[in-house]
């Protein structure tokens, strides 16, 4: 009987430890744990943490771990800070605190200050813990296991490049969620074409696991193409400084256009997308990213950020992003099967990733 209980307990603990650590929910677990650890419900904190974790479906070990903020080392600081915050909330100023106050004539008032202050302190410290947790998990844990190896592969490609270019690549790989999304997609087979390829990061990303895969890229920026040539030199690559509007597209299994369409006029964008659809091979896939115009404040921030980039880069034009329906329309008219993935990046930018696959039947007609 004891053996059965032990086995069940072990399975239960193992299941708890394997609970998913998605950044937002992990942050919520840490917040709740720290908050419960700070408010004065001594003796019930673990119980309250487990209950809250079940109720809000949070990661249980993490929620309980958050309560460990209340330990013999930190408890004096927690009590003093809580009382001082309470004094401030009650009287608008801090004043010296003595433990004797908690047993003196004004004990009720002092306890009130303690409780009020502990709630505010719990929210503040819990908030800091939550943000830190979310950032650490975002940076450390890739969204899917395939991503880690691909990222390592791309970083390795750029290892010999100049410091500034290498660092740009490193930070972009860290901050841009596009790589997690691409790693989760079937990137097809055959030639990869990256229009406006910049440093060629997406090309090397697509070549992971098949370094003989033909890679074709073009960009107006001569420096970026030079860096891409140096980094991707060992791959089967053909890179040119060219304008995508006149670029002759080879038959391809995968075409990428990441953050480039907004440099062109509306008609030019449509024409380019039509050309891509017709040049794709059967079952080929066209993946492009544009800003999301339909996400309220996030869209406003995203558009403003892009206008700044264009201004700093002296592009001489304003970025132009069309509505999602216009992009979807041109793809569907070309017979493509279209998926849209709306996402917010680690920088608070709102994007849509269009993934358009060419059906075999379409290719036969
Ligand atoms: C925001 S960057 C994106 C680079 C790359 N696609 C990536 O995701 O890292 C936009 C790139 O598009 C290039 N570009 C803009 N208009 C272009 C055009 N008409 N033809 C070729 N490249 C263009 C710029 O030089 C720049 O490198």
């Amino acid at each position: 009987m004891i053996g059965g209980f032990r086995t069940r307990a072990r399975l239960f603990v193992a299941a708890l430890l394997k609970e998913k650590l998605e950044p937002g929910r992990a942050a919520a677990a840490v917040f709740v744990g720290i908050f419960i650890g700070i408010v004065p419900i001594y003796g019930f904190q673990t119980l309250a943490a487990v209950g809250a974790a079940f109720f809000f479906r949070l990661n249980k070990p993490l929620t309980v771990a958050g309560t460990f903020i209340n330990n013999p080392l930190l408890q004096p600081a927690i009590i003093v800070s809580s009382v001082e915050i309470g004094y401030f909330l009650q009287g608008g100023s801090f004043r010296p605190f003595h433990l004797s106050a908690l047993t003196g004539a004004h004990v009720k008032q002092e306890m009130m200050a303690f409780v009020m202050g502990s709630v505010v302190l719990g929210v503040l410290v819990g908030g800091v813990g939550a943000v830190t947790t979310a950032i650490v998990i975002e940076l450390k844990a890739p969204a899917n296991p395939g991503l880690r190896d691909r990222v390592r592969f791309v970083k390795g490609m750029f290892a010999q490049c100049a410091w500034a270019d290498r660092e740009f690549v490193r930070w972009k790989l860290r901050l841009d969620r596009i790589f997690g999304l691409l790693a989760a997609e079937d990137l097809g087979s055959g030639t990869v074409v990256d229009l406006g390829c910049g440093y060629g990061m997406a090309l090397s990303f697509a070549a992971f696991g098949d370094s003989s895969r033909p890679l074709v890229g073009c960009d107006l920026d001569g420096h970026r193409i030079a860096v891409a040539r140096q980094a991707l030199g060992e791959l089967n690559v053909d890179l040119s400084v060219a304008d995508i509007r006149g670029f002759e597209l080879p038959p391809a299994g995968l075409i990428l256009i990441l953050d480039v369409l907004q440099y062109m006029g509306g008609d030019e964008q449509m024409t380019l997308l039509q050309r891509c659809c017709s040049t794709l091979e059967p079952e080929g896939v066209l993946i492009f990213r544009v800003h999301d115009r339909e996400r309220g404040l996030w869209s406003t921030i995203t558009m403003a950020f892009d206008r700044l980039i264009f201004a700093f880069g002296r592009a001489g034009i304003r970025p132009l992003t069309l509505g999602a329906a216009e992009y979807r329309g041109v793809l569907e008219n070309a017979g493509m099967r279209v998926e849209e993935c709306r996402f917010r990046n680690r920088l608070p930018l709102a994007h849509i990733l269009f993934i358009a696959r060419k059906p075999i039947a379409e290719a036969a007609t």
Side-chain angles (χ1 to χ4, degrees):
M1 191 174 154
I2 291 179
F5 174 75
R6 265 204 212 129
T7 311
R8 262 179 280 139
R10 211 178 311 128
L11 288 175
F12 180 66
V13 171
L16 288 184
L17 292 174
K18 276 190 208 150
E19 280 188 320
K20 262 176 67 183
L21 266 190
E22 188 251 314
R25 301 207 66 74
V30 169
F31 176 84
V32 170
I34 291 181
F35 180 81
I36 290 175
I38 288 181
V39 292
I41 49 167
Y42 303 122
F44 296 99
Q45 285 168 328
T46 307
L47 199 66
V50 172
F54 268 106
F55 187 75
F56 295 115
R57 297 207 200 147
L58 301 174
N59 182 292
K60 283 126 208 136
L62 207 51
T63 313
V64 173
T67 66
F68 296 165
I69 187 142
N70 190 348
N71 57 62
L73 211 65
L74 291 180
Q75 200 175 37
I78 290 175
I79 293 175
V80 173
S81 313
S82 299
V83 175
E84 287 296 337
I85 293 174
Y87 286 159
F88 186 81
L89 293 175
Q90 284 178 334
S93 64
F94 300 109
R95 59 186 146 96
F97 164 71
H98 300 289
L99 263 185
S100 56
L102 293 177
T103 53
H106 304 291
V107 64
K108 214 168 152 192
Q109 206 182 341
E110 301 291 336
M111 287 309 285
M112 198 61 200
F114 178 32
V115 172
M116 278 166 57
S118 70
V119 169
V120 173
L121 186 70
V123 171
L124 291 176
V125 181
V128 172
V131 170
T132 311
T133 305
I135 291 174
V136 169
I137 293 184
E138 281 276 4
L139 294 183
K140 290 285 167 207
N144 57 60
L147 180 60
R148 193 192 301 260
D149 295 336
R150 281 184 188 261
V151 164
R152 213 172 277 150
F153 176 72
V154 177
K155 272 194 200 157
M157 291 269 118
F158 287 84
Q160 303 306 323
C161 294
W163 178 83
D165 301 318
R166 209 171 57 229
E167 284 303 298
F168 175 86
V169 167
R170 196 163 74 86
W171 280 101
K172 180 143 170 103
L173 285 168
R174 268 195 174 191
L175 293 176
D176 197 339
R177 281 218 170 97
I178 186 85
F179 297 105
L181 296 173
L182 289 179
E185 280 301 320
D186 173 4
L187 298 180
S189 56
T191 303
V192 184
V193 176
D194 189 350
L195 298 172
C197 63
Y199 291 91
M201 293 168 67
L203 281 174
S204 55
F205 199 80
F208 174 75
D210 179 6
S211 48
S212 65
R213 192 169 185 184
L215 310 173
V216 177
C218 74
D219 199 289
L220 280 180
D221 188 318
H223 170 73
R224 291 184 178 187
I225 289 293
V227 175
R229 281 191 182 129
Q230 182 192 357
L232 278 59
E234 286 175 13
L235 300 177
N236 182 3
V237 74
D238 176 5
L239 296 161
S240 41
V241 178
D243 191 322
I244 56 179
R245 286 169 286 202
F247 189 70
E248 197 167 322
L249 297 170
L254 170 65
I255 300 181
L256 300 164
I257 316 174
L258 304 176
D259 305 330
V260 186
L261 286 175
Q262 73 269 29
Y263 286 80
M264 300 190 292
D267 290 344
E268 289 171 330
Q269 296 187 30
M270 292 293 134
T271 307
L272 181 65
L273 292 177
Q274 279 161 350
R275 281 209 295 135
C276 290
C277 294
S278 58
T279 201
L280 270 175
E281 285 170 340
E283 294 194 294
V285 53
L286 164 64
I287 300 181
F288 65 93
R289 172 164 77 174
V290 289
H291 298 323
D292 188 345
R293 289 193 351 186
E294 290 139 36
R295 289 295 280 277
L297 176 65
W298 298 115
S299 300
T300 311
I301 296 174
T302 309
M303 301 299 176
F305 185 71
D306 216 24
R307 277 198 283 276
L308 264 180
I309 294 205
F310 271 57
F312 275 122
R314 298 180 199 283
I317 47 163
R318 281 167 74 89
L320 174 69
T321 302
L322 305 175
E326 290 176 83
Y327 291 118
R328 198 182 315 119
V330 72
L331 298 172
E332 284 173 352
N333 286 341
M336 307 288 282
R337 276 197 320 266
V338 186
E339 282 170 50
E340 281 168 44
C341 172
R342 286 171 190 264
F343 68 104
R344 213 156 4 99
N345 229 325
R346 291 192 174 109
L347 297 173
L349 305 176
H351 299 292
I352 309 183
L353 192 67
F354 282 90
I355 301 161
R357 293 184 190 278
K358 186 162 184 168
I360 299 178
E362 155 66 19
T365 55

